[in-house]
Structure formats: C-alpha cells, structure tokens
Amino acid sequence: DIQMTQSPSSLSASVGDRVTISCRASQSISSFLNWYQQKPGKAPKLLIYTASRLESGVPSRFSGSGSGTDFTLTISSLQPEDFATYYCQQSHSIPYTFGQGTNLEIK
Amino acid sequence: QVQLQESGPGLVKPSETLSLTCTVSGGSVSSDNYFWTWIRQPPGKGLEWLGYIYNSGNTYYNPSLKSRVTVSVEASKNQFSLKLTSLTAADTAVYYCARYYSGGNKYCFDSWGQGNLVTVSS
C-alpha cells in the first residue's frame, strides 16, 4: 500500500494568515493526489484534484502543487470557515489511501 | 447535482454482518466514469477506502479487509450496497458512500453522502 504522511498533524493560525500543509507519498504517485476538507460531523469535501486543479465552486484562495512524492496545499488568506481538518488522498493505485489529516485550528 | 444518502442500522452485534445501502439521486449508478464507493472513518480517526463497484459490476476491494467486504449495485433502484461480515468493535465507524470520478485528468471522490454511524457492540 502507498502510505501518505501529512505534516503538520495540527496547526494553529489566524484569520488572514497564509497556511501550507504538506503531504508526502511513500512512493511516486505522479500527480494522482487530491485534497479534502472535513468539518466536524460532516463528510469530507473535495477541494483540489490531480494535485493542482481546483474543484468547481471552491474558493481560489485554495491551491495545490507538487508531483511525484511531495505535495502542498496552500490557503492564501485564511477565512473563518476554513478552520477544519484537511486530508490528502492518492488515486495512483488501489487501495486508495489517505493521509492522517491536519487539524487547522484558530489561534 | 448528484446526492448520495446512506441508510442502515446504527448498532450491530459482534460477529454479525453489516448491511448498508446508498441511494443516489440526481445521477445514475449506470453512468460511465463513476465508481460507487464505500469509505469509513472510526471515531476521531482518519479515512479508510473499503471498495467500489463500476456499472459493469466490476468490484475492487481493500485487501486489508480480506474477504469480509462485498459491494453490489441495484441499478433499477439507483442504489448500491455494502456488506461487511464478521464484525468486531474495530469496525465501529462512520460509513460514507461516495462517488469516485475516473476520467480525463480527474480521479477523485467528488461527491459524498452524509455518513452513517455504525457501532458494533453487544
């Protein structure tokens, strides 16, 4: 199985901050990397697919980059509704796997 | 806009079989490019892909579940289902149904149900 490792596991930030979350795959996954946002008690929501493509309806302050084994999710200017848990997920090979999550909290 | 809705029990006894159904509206389980998926999340933990089915009936499962999982589709009702056998407390989780899009430059879970909490306890 491909292991996905996110860093940090938790992060405190303020509204307006620029935030970066990293995701590393245990082997190359090309650009088959997706990012999801999950709020408490809710299902995950797709933000970014294929490493850098913004899902329709997702604000442009979210962006993704990377390829191979190292990927990044950036939120350019945090808004109050962005405080949530973020997961990366690889679609390179079955079984599809997720990172352990990054909990983004208000400072 | 497609919507997915899980239905099934909230409490199941150890060693029994869990059966969950996902009803799809605003889209068809027979559509090309979509794989109909089950994912679970133990309380306070991360996400685990269980398996999915394509409209042709082809299924793909997470090997970690060995032979305990079965995903099936009932096109006439626009539903798909999960069966998980030999339950233990470790199977306690929120179970999500989701749609996986596969095509072009997009390979991801783009729509999710709201989730169904299943507790395994006697």
Side-chain angles (χ1 to χ4, degrees):
Chain A
D1 298 5
I2 297 175
Q3 196 154 14
M4 308 300 294
T5 303
Q6 290 180 230
S7 61
S9 294
S10 64
L11 177 59
S12 294
S14 302
V15 173
D17 283 353
R18 179 183 179 88
V19 165
T20 298
I21 298 170
S22 297
C23 178
R24 175 166 288 178
S26 60
Q27 65 186 72
S28 177
I29 57 170
S30 184
S31 295
F32 293 99
L33 189 283
N34 308 306
W35 290 98
Y36 302 85
Q37 176 195 66
Q38 186 178 34
K39 295 183 178 179
K42 301 293 187 182
K45 172 189 171 184
L46 177 66
L47 298 176
I48 302 283
Y49 63 93
T50 317
S52 62
R53 295 173 184 258
L54 194 67
E55 174 70 344
S56 176
V58 174
S60 59
R61 62 182 179 272
F62 291 92
S63 64
S65 64
S67 67
T69 60
D70 293 304
F71 302 86
T72 299
L73 173 71
T74 299
I75 310 172
S76 60
S77 178
L78 272 175
Q79 298 302 301
E81 60 268 29
D82 299 337
F83 292 94
T85 300
Y86 293 84
Y87 292 94
C88 61
Q89 174 258 325
Q90 63 84 14
S91 288
H92 179 272
S93 55
I94 285 173
Y96 301 134
T97 47
F98 293 82
Q100 82 279 15
T102 295
N103 184 25
L104 179 53
E105 300 175 321
I106 300 174
K107 184 182 286 184
Chain B
Q1 183 78 343
V2 70
Q3 292 188 318
L4 295 85
Q5 176 69 59
E6 305 89 350
S7 58
L11 180 64
V12 187
K13 290 182 168 53
S15 80
E16 292 189 344
T17 295
L18 170 65
S19 294
L20 293 173
T21 296
C22 183
T23 301
V24 179
S25 56
S28 170
V29 296
S30 301
S31 297
D32 291 341
N33 298 111
Y34 296 118
F35 290 71
W36 302 97
T37 303
W38 289 96
I39 292 166
R40 71 180 179 181
Q41 185 173 36
K45 296 190 178 180
L47 297 154
E48 180 182 28
W49 175 80
L50 303 182
Y52 60 22
I53 188 166
Y54 190 56
N55 65 9
S56 62
N58 289 344
T59 52
Y60 304 82
Y61 300 126
N62 193 324
S64 70
L65 295 166
K66 297 176 186 176
S67 298
R68 297 200 296 134
V69 63
T70 303
V71 179
S72 59
V73 66
E74 190 158 359
S76 63
K77 294 184 178 180
N78 217 28
Q79 294 175 335
F80 63 103
S81 299
L82 170 74
K83 286 193 187 309
L84 185 64
T85 63
S86 305
L87 293 173
T88 70
D91 295 309
T92 293
V94 175
Y95 286 76
Y96 294 102
C97 60
R99 185 180 76 173
Y100 181 84
Y101 183 87
S102 177
N105 283 314
K106 192 173 188 180
Y107 303 88
C108 58
F109 303 107
D110 67 350
S111 294
W112 298 64
Q114 65 185 29
N116 190 119
L117 174 61
V118 176
T119 301
V120 180
S121 176
S122 54

